[in-house]
Amino acid sequence: GQQVQQSPASLVLQEGENAELQCNFSSTATQLQWFYQRPGGSLVSLLYNPSGTKHTGRLTSTTVTKERRSSLHISSSQITDSGTYFCAMERAGYQNFYFGKGTSLTVIP
Amino acid sequence: EAAVTQSPRNKVTVTGGNVTLSCRQTNSHNYMYWYRQDTGHGLRLIHYSYGAGNLQIGDVPDGYKATRTTQEDFFLLLELASPSQTSLYFCASSDDWGGSYEQYFGPGTRLTVL
């Protein structure tokens, strides 16, 4: 079954609005990362956050391990934030990576 | 700057054909990964390696072989390609296991199996 569920599947915001992306996982995660895929297809790692809250630039991730969920908050969204955001987790006891299906974010002027 | 390159960028083959996808990283990273990306599935880990000669099985290994010939080079082999293997393939590298280390991705190879 699907290990990682992301919501919403897609999101449209006006420039300057904040975005909240959710990630829920079906088993205990020992590692949790957020990734970003540009509209052209290139992929980058954004944040590693297995627990607690982490910030980088306009991104804030909060992971509550025992509730099996993580969120990614993007403040003051910009047009260049458009793309697809993935969370990925490693299950406890497995050295393997499971990605969600992603949230497609579109930021309009 | 970390660099991961893939070749070819696009490949079309027929069912039953033999395909090799190549990946090279110049980051001196220990770990390398092969993923496939399909619409509606996100990325799925096929194989990974933590050094030359090492190979580990990922989440969807069936129908794929892989070989890590050097620290820099990781190959994905499809010996009897099937239409279900039509996908976008990404290679990535990281200094240590990618669960807690930043992964650097290549540009992707689009494979079509007719």
Side-chain angles (χ1 to χ4, degrees):
Chain A
Q2 183 70 29
Q3 301 286 342
V4 181
Q5 297 85 35
Q6 289 189 245
S7 61
S10 63
L11 187 58
V12 180
L13 297 175
Q14 283 204 302
E15 198 172 11
E17 292 183 322
N18 298 330
E20 189 81 16
L21 284 57
Q22 302 293 337
C23 176
N24 293 275
F25 25 99
S26 57
S27 52
T28 302
T30 54
Q31 313 288 352
L32 193 291
Q33 281 200 38
W34 285 91
F35 295 83
Y36 167 64
Q37 187 168 35
R38 297 186 178 94
S42 61
L43 277 155
V44 293
S45 294
L46 287 177
L47 273 172
Y48 162 68
N49 186 25
S51 65
T53 299
K54 287 205 172 173
H55 305 273
T56 180
R58 293 181 294 106
L59 304 179
T60 300
S61 172
T62 300
T63 299
V64 184
T65 309
K66 61 182 179 182
E67 294 182 12
R68 300 180 182 173
R69 61 178 175 85
S70 181
S71 64
L72 181 69
H73 180 87
I74 306 172
S75 63
S76 303
S77 61
Q78 301 175 359
I79 292 172
T80 51
D81 294 332
S82 297
T84 304
Y85 293 79
F86 295 98
C87 67
M89 57 85 85
E90 178 184 353
R91 288 170 61 187
Y94 295 80
Q95 195 174 33
N96 209 331
F97 241 174
Y98 299 93
F99 280 72
K101 296 182 179 182
T103 292
S104 175
L105 174 65
T106 303
V107 182
I108 58 176
Chain B
E1 176 158 333
V4 181
T5 55
Q6 294 182 235
S7 63
R9 295 293 311 278
N10 289 282
K11 176 74 177 178
V12 180
T13 190
V14 295
T15 299
N18 208 322
V19 177
T20 298
L21 306 185
S22 302
C23 177
R24 167 163 282 201
Q25 55 102 359
T26 58
N27 311 321
S28 299
H29 285 165
N30 293 312
Y31 278 77
M32 294 184 74
Y33 314 83
W34 276 108
Y35 294 95
R36 61 178 289 173
Q37 183 177 29
D38 305 291
T39 304
H41 281 280
L43 276 80
R44 291 182 287 178
L45 182 63
I46 304 170
H47 289 295
Y48 65 96
S49 165
Y50 56 72
N54 175 264
L55 181 65
Q56 302 294 319
I57 292 171
D59 191 35
V60 290
D62 292 346
Y64 300 96
K65 291 184 179 179
T67 180
R68 180 94 175 265
T69 55
T70 65
Q71 181 81 347
E72 294 78 20
D73 298 301
F74 195 29
F75 300 93
L76 186 67
L77 296 81
L78 292 75
E79 294 183 333
L80 286 171
S82 74
S84 65
Q85 294 175 308
T86 293
S87 189
L88 179 58
Y89 291 86
F90 285 99
C91 175
S93 74
S94 64
D95 196 22
D96 205 327
W97 169 241
S100 54
Y101 282 76
E102 183 174 1
Q103 294 187 46
Y104 294 85
F105 289 85
T109 294
R110 187 165 296 279
L111 175 66
T112 302
V113 184
L114 301 175

